Amino acid sequence: MKKLGLSLLALLTASFIFGNAQQQGAGGATLIGIAMPETHVQRWQKDGANLASEAQKRGYRAELQFGNADQTTQNQQIQGFLTNGAKLLVVSSVNEGVISAVSDAHRDGVEIIAYDRIISNSADYDYYITFNNYKVGQFQGQGIEEGLNLKSATAANPKYITLFAGSPTDGNAFFFYDGAMSVLNPYIDSGVLKVVGPYPRTSKDTANFQRIATENWQAPVAKTRMENLLAGDARSVTLDAVLAPNDTLARAIIEACISDAKYQSKLPVVTGQDAEADSVLSIKNGFQYMTVFKDTSKLAEAAIILADQILKKEPINVPGAVLASGDLLSIGDTGRKVVNAYLLEPVYITKNNWRIPLDAGFFTADEAARLK
Ligand code: BGC
């Protein structure tokens, strides 16, 4: 009910028409359709609202929908945007099943920007905007390196870690994991760090990656897996760290640890990303170790600047973002073509600099009040 209320409110706000800068005949301002994947991870509500207001600021109409982590629902929402005459879609997909809707849009001459998540296995679009997701993962690896002081640790007194990955249906999850493991693998190789449970050396080890992955980024899935690990593989050791791919899952993992007597006075070093208010509070209070701040209001603004340039057929120049090249080209590789991927920079956050997202105005007034 609450979720429905929020989405409805967002939709009503987003559909409100501002200005006439993009007049197209009698129909009014040009329509941009905004398809967000889910609401159970907090960031998407902010992303959706920011995208809609940035579009409206530039004279566009915006329609905003959340896919409820269900691709069939999201595809219907995209069809709705097409029926309503959208000229451009900003899509953060649930999974690869989105490609049929993307191909329909392409057939209708509608431009598509993949937002935050790549649309894999499609050659029907040209633009992708996201953060440097490999670096997000490297920051998570760095958090564990720093939190466990791995540079000074020895194989005689090894540290124990267990590994979690994000949704195997989300291309980002592979970059996060590989970035993290690029920092951790050397310590595993030297015996300083020991993995409890499955150990995919990289995301290419599909069988083991599936075992540590968290379908649709669902917190209850991660919590149950952590409880099972604590009662099973990790029973005879004390875990020093858990690689958690985002804040929603980090908090679920911490909850599981807290209900185990062994971890009540000292939690493992747990990583995250998204700088969700609850996790920043947890970091401030010494529970979660780190997060990665991805300023999604900047991402939304950059995406709409890109949309505006595409629609006006202007040269593309996205402030605050770099066009992926060299080693980073793979971030824009859909498997069918390499799209133009514009990358923003993530920021490493621990208890030493947790105020950065607060000072950047990233939090709602309520969230900011809780952090003060
Ligand atoms: C996003 C993360 C988010 C996750 C779960 C990923 O694609 O990049 O910011 O935590 O999806 O929604």
Side-chain angles (χ1 to χ4, degrees):
M1 187 57 207
K2 201 174 151 211
K3 211 190 260 176
L4 185 67
L6 232 164
S7 311
L8 200 63
L9 184 72
L11 180 63
L12 288 175
T13 322
S15 301
F16 201 75
I17 303 170
F18 277 81
N20 278 335
Q22 287 296 306
Q23 285 287 348
Q24 39 147 39
T30 301
L31 177 63
I32 296 181
I34 301 165
M36 296 289 102
E38 64 211 23
T39 50
H40 70 268
V41 173
Q42 287 167 16
R43 65 163 285 186
W44 301 110
Q45 300 183 28
K46 281 190 192 170
D47 283 270
N50 287 335
L51 282 161
S53 75
E54 290 294 337
Q56 290 157 354
K57 249 200 252 171
R58 287 171 179 77
Y60 293 95
R61 277 191 305 137
E63 282 183 16
L64 168 63
Q65 297 276 7
F66 296 90
N68 202 19
D70 178 51
Q71 195 58 59
T72 308
T73 303
Q74 190 179 60
N75 284 1
Q76 285 162 357
Q77 294 169 340
I78 292 175
Q79 295 299 345
F81 295 147
L82 298 180
T83 307
N84 294 346
K87 293 285 176 274
L88 183 142
L89 306 178
V90 178
V91 179
S92 192
S93 56
V94 178
N95 62 46
E96 207 181 292
V98 76
I99 60 177
S100 58
V102 167
S103 121
D104 289 349
H106 182 66
R107 184 206 53 215
D108 291 359
V110 173
E111 297 280 1
I112 294 134
I113 299 174
Y115 179 84
D116 195 87
R117 296 179 175 177
I118 197 159
I119 297 168
S120 296
N121 265 318
S122 170
D124 288 335
Y125 70 104
D126 296 308
Y127 302 99
Y128 175 34
I129 190 157
T130 190
F131 288 86
N132 180 337
N133 294 316
Y134 191 75
K135 193 181 265 185
V136 170
Q138 285 178 313
F139 282 161
Q140 294 171 337
Q142 185 189 324
I144 286 166
E145 181 182 55
E146 183 185 285
L148 300 185
N149 198 6
L150 289 180
K151 284 184 180 152
S152 319
T154 60
N157 186 15
K159 306 285 184 186
Y160 292 92
I161 186 170
T162 197
L163 305 168
F164 281 70
S167 183
T169 57
D170 178 350
N172 287 345
F174 303 91
F175 286 101
F176 301 148
Y177 187 74
D178 289 333
M181 297 317 282
S182 71
V183 178
L184 299 180
N185 278 329
Y187 293 108
I188 298 171
D189 292 345
S190 66
V192 161
L193 190 61
K194 294 221 177 294
V195 179
V196 178
Y199 167 42
R201 188 177 173 80
T202 71
S203 64
K204 290 202 175 65
D205 175 355
T206 311
N208 278 313
F209 188 79
Q210 287 290 339
R211 295 171 69 200
I212 66 160
T214 314
E215 194 71 26
N216 274 333
W217 299 92
Q218 294 285 352
V221 173
K223 188 172 177 196
T224 304
R225 179 163 175 255
M226 190 67 212
E227 285 164 352
N228 291 340
L229 276 160
L230 291 173
D233 288 346
R235 204 167 49 167
S236 56
V237 295
T238 300
L239 288 172
D240 300 292
V242 182
L243 176 69
N246 79 354
D247 287 349
T248 305
L249 303 187
R251 294 195 305 277
I253 288 164
I254 290 172
E255 262 178 49
C257 291
I258 284 175
S259 27
D260 184 319
K262 213 154 76 180
Y263 298 100
Q264 266 160 16
S265 54
K266 189 169 183 285
L267 280 170
V269 165
V270 181
T271 59
Q273 81 167 292
D274 289 338
E276 288 186 354
D278 289 339
S279 282
V280 173
L281 193 61
S282 174
I283 290 169
K284 183 186 171 202
N285 293 336
F287 295 98
Q288 189 174 320
Y289 185 78
M290 61 81 69
T291 187
V292 181
F293 173 42
K294 303 190 298 185
D295 194 337
T296 50
S297 47
K298 295 249 166 62
L299 184 68
E301 186 186 14
I304 296 300
I305 290 173
L306 174 62
D308 191 40
Q309 292 168 352
I310 295 169
L311 287 167
K312 290 180 177 155
K313 302 202 184 330
E314 287 174 351
I316 306 295
N317 169 24
V318 189
V322 295
L323 182 59
S325 60
D327 283 355
L328 293 176
L329 267 180
S330 63
I331 293 189
D333 187 354
T334 78
R336 299 278 312 280
K337 86 190 237 194
V338 179
V339 295
N340 297 316
Y342 296 90
L343 307 180
L344 279 78
E345 281 298 298
V347 183
Y348 178 74
I349 301 288
T350 63
K351 66 174 183 323
N352 299 325
N353 66 351
W354 65 267
R355 283 182 178 275
I356 288 180
L358 181 68
D359 295 342
F362 182 64
F363 297 115
T364 64
D366 284 357
E367 289 171 343
R370 282 198 291 129
L371 281 162
K372 290 218 167 110

